[in-house]
């Protein structure tokens, strides 16, 4: 099968984790007999520095011409005081719009061998396997009007939360469909006691839920959900929520399972899927070779599953991550005091080697 992928390493630790994810993807392609066609382009601060634009036209065109996009992270403090459209983050928001990727899937799974990394007791975290389905193209991050006036004590700012019924319905259908292949439970999170957008959200999700009578739907306010996530994370299955609530709750989920560096994401629904770790550019650790590449590598697994429909290959990458963790390999964010740590590159190489051996074993079994 031909795999046409655009890689956008971006800023900070983005290039470090993406180079490891690409090594793993290359092993998958050669080991399982696929033809990988890779194109690398700039986004975010890297694109601003080179072209004065956080999403150059050449990047957009390359992404639209491929089947999937693998992105590292955007964000560089050097551009923090730029106008909004000239900040690295604007490039990512525009890319999501260009790709029309409206459903953002963010799995948060507990690895028993990382029990010591979670701030929660093992009996609370054990069994946690959450899929957050976040609406990605609406709400406060995109709503107009928006403005900012800073004026010596007399300024004001405006953001607009706006949702339409079709926007809610399409992401709700993705969540219900995915719940069917899991424990068949959808928890819709909103703030319908205060926000009109959330009242519309609850109304539409309830209506869509009637088409999925085999899936149990419940609702919760976002403040209560934030608390429940730390009190009983193992009780959550699929979480369906709007853009900003999903952004915040998924970082919380990262903390719960042990590190933000573990979390992968898939943004689907448009013609080209976008795959990226949940974390940002982590300028505090960039360039040191210590970033955790697992979120990026697990994003490759999501790409194999959701864009290319290659379940066996996706499972192989996931098994590589589990086996590497079982072997005691830990980047600094995952290590307990006194534990030996490995670099970003060593962690990636370990998983790439697993994939290569597993693919050869698979080949032998088939012949
Ligand atoms: P961050 O996710 O970059 O970092 C938060 C904390 O987690 C930091 O202490 C960091 O060192 C740690 N961390 C993150 N990823 C890690 C990894 N793979 N391995 C080990 N530790 C890791 O969030 P932030 O510090 O709030 O933001 C930094 C920049 O990233 C900002 O410019 C922000 O706008 C941007 N950002 C981008 C994205 C994205 O590209 N999707 C997402 C979030 C933030």
């Amino acid at each position: 099968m031909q795999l046409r992928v655009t890689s956008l390493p971006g800023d900070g630790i983005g290039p470090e984790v993406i180079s490891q994810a690409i090594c793993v993807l290359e092993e998958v392609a050669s080991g399982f007999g696929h033809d990988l066609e890779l194109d690398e382009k700039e986004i975010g601060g890297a694109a601003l520095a080179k072209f004065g634009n956080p999403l150059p036209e050449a990047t957009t065109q390359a992404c639209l011409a491929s089947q999937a996009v693998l992105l590292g992270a955007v964000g560089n403090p050097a551009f923090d005081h730029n106008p909004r459209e000239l900040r690295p983050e604007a490039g990512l928001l525009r890319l999501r719009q260009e790709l029309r990727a409206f459903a953002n899937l963010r799995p948060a799974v507990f690895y028993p061998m990382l029990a010591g990394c979670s701030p929660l007791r093992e009996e609370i975290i054990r069994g946690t396997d959450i899929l957050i389905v976040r609406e990605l193209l609406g709400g406060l991050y995109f709503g107009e009007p928006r403005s900012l006036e800073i004026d010596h004590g007399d300024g004001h700012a405006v953001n607009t939360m706006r949702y339409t019924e079709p926007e809610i319905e399409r992401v709700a259908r993705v969540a219900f469909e995915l719940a069917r292949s899991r424990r068949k439970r959808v928890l819709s999170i909103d703030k319908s006691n205060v926000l009109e957008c959330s009242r519309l959200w609850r109304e539409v999700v309830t209506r869509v839920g009637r088409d999925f009578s085999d899936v149990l739907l419940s609702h919760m306010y976002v403040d209560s959900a934030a608390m429940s996530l730390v009190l009983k994370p193992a009780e959550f299955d699929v979480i369906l929520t709007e853009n900003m609530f999903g952004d915040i709750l998924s970082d919380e989920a990262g903390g719960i399972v042990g590190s933000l560096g573990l979390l992968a994401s898939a943004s689907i629904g448009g013609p080209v899927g976008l795959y990226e770790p949940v974390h940002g550019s982590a300028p505090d650790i960039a360039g040191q070779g210590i970033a955790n590449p697992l979120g990026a590598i697990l994003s490759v697994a999501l790409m194999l599953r959701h864009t290319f429909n290659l379940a066996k290959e996706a499972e192989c990458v996931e098994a590589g991550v589990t086996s590497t963790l079982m072997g005691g390999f830990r980047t600094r964010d995952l290590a307990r005091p006194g534990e030996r740590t490995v670099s970003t590159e060593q962690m990636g190489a370990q998983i790439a080697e697993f994939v290569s051996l597993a693919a050869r074993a698979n080949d032998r079994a088939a012949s």
Side-chain angles (χ1 to χ4, degrees):
M1 183 180 200
Q2 188 165 40
L3 316 177
R4 270 182 297 115
V5 177
T6 299
S7 93
L8 308 176
D11 305 322
I13 62 169
E16 300 169 46
V17 297
I18 287 303
S19 65
Q20 297 314 309
I22 296 286
C23 287
V24 172
L25 182 58
E26 284 172 342
E27 285 301 340
V28 169
S30 66
F32 288 88
H34 302 297
D35 181 12
L36 177 63
E37 204 182 296
L38 262 177
D39 189 7
E40 185 179 307
K41 287 281 181 284
E42 290 83 5
I43 191 169
L48 270 168
K50 204 164 166 186
F51 305 106
N53 179 350
L55 185 68
E57 186 56 23
T59 298
T60 308
Q61 289 313 323
C63 292
L64 287 170
S66 57
Q67 293 162 288
V69 176
L70 181 64
L71 182 140
V74 296
N76 180 338
F79 299 110
D80 273 358
H81 299 292
N82 276 13
R84 181 168 53 89
E85 283 309 312
L86 290 178
R87 291 184 51 147
E89 293 80 356
L92 178 55
L93 291 179
R94 272 171 46 207
L95 179 66
R96 288 170 177 167
Q97 273 181 316
E98 293 282 354
L99 300 183
R100 288 179 273 138
F102 62 81
N104 183 218
L105 319 184
R106 297 185 156 194
V109 179
F110 167 66
Y111 289 93
M113 52 286 200
L114 294 182
C117 296
S118 173
L120 303 182
R121 290 196 307 278
E122 189 177 348
E123 65 265 29
I124 293 180
I125 180 89
R126 197 184 299 127
T128 296
D129 179 358
I130 303 170
L131 177 63
I132 298 179
V133 180
R134 165 190 171 196
E135 199 291 324
L136 201 59
L137 295 184
L140 275 173
Y141 293 6
F142 290 99
E144 297 284 349
R146 59 190 296 160
S147 64
L148 168 64
E149 273 181 43
I150 303 173
D151 186 17
H152 308 292
D154 200 25
H156 66 273
V158 175
N159 285 104
T160 303
M161 185 185 269
R162 185 188 300 279
Y163 269 108
T164 64
E165 293 199 24
E167 279 174 325
I168 302 168
E169 177 165 345
R170 64 186 183 179
V171 71
R173 289 196 178 279
V174 170
F176 280 105
E177 288 290 356
L178 289 166
R180 279 184 162 159
S181 60
R182 295 173 48 97
R183 283 167 284 156
K184 297 191 171 57
R185 285 188 289 144
V186 169
L187 173 67
S188 173
I189 294 177
D190 61 40
K191 189 69 184 163
S192 59
N193 50 342
V194 178
L195 298 175
E196 280 73 14
C197 275
S198 282
R199 286 177 55 193
L200 182 68
W201 182 276
R202 195 173 279 219
E203 173 73 29
V204 174
V205 171
T206 303
R207 192 194 312 145
V208 172
R210 290 192 197 110
D211 292 343
F212 295 83
S213 53
D214 52 329
V215 177
L216 181 68
L217 169 66
S218 51
H219 303 269
M220 201 182 269
Y221 299 139
V222 64
D223 41 352
S224 170
M227 185 180 66
S228 294
L229 256 184
V230 286
L231 291 179
K232 37 190 179 180
E235 289 187 12
F236 289 77
D237 182 10
V238 176
I239 288 177
L240 165 65
T241 192
E242 66 89 45
N243 202 344
M244 185 174 67
F245 297 162
D247 195 4
I248 296 169
L249 292 174
S250 52
D251 270 32
E252 185 186 347
I256 288 170
V257 296
S259 171
L260 193 51
L262 288 169
L263 261 52
S265 87
S267 301
I268 58 169
V272 180
L274 171 63
Y275 299 87
E276 50 177 320
V278 167
H279 62 75
S281 58
D284 54 333
I285 59 165
Q288 300 176 38
I290 58 172
N292 183 346
L294 295 186
I297 291 170
L298 288 167
S299 298
V300 166
L302 290 177
M303 174 194 289
L304 292 166
R305 182 172 287 120
H306 289 284
T307 287
F308 298 113
N309 213 7
L310 295 172
K312 190 170 59 181
E313 287 82 340
E315 280 160 22
C316 180
V317 173
E318 287 158 353
V321 169
T322 307
S323 151
T324 299
L325 291 173
M326 279 174 66
F329 289 81
R330 302 280 184 274
T331 41
R332 199 183 66 169
D333 56 311
L334 300 176
R336 298 294 88 208
E339 272 183 345
R340 196 175 68 89
T341 60
V342 297
S343 66
T344 310
E345 210 178 315
Q346 287 167 319
M347 192 77 150
Q350 195 62 25
I351 296 161
E353 190 187 330
F354 176 97
V355 169
S356 157
L357 292 173
R360 255 184 272 156
N362 177 67
D363 212 26
R364 275 198 303 276
S367 57

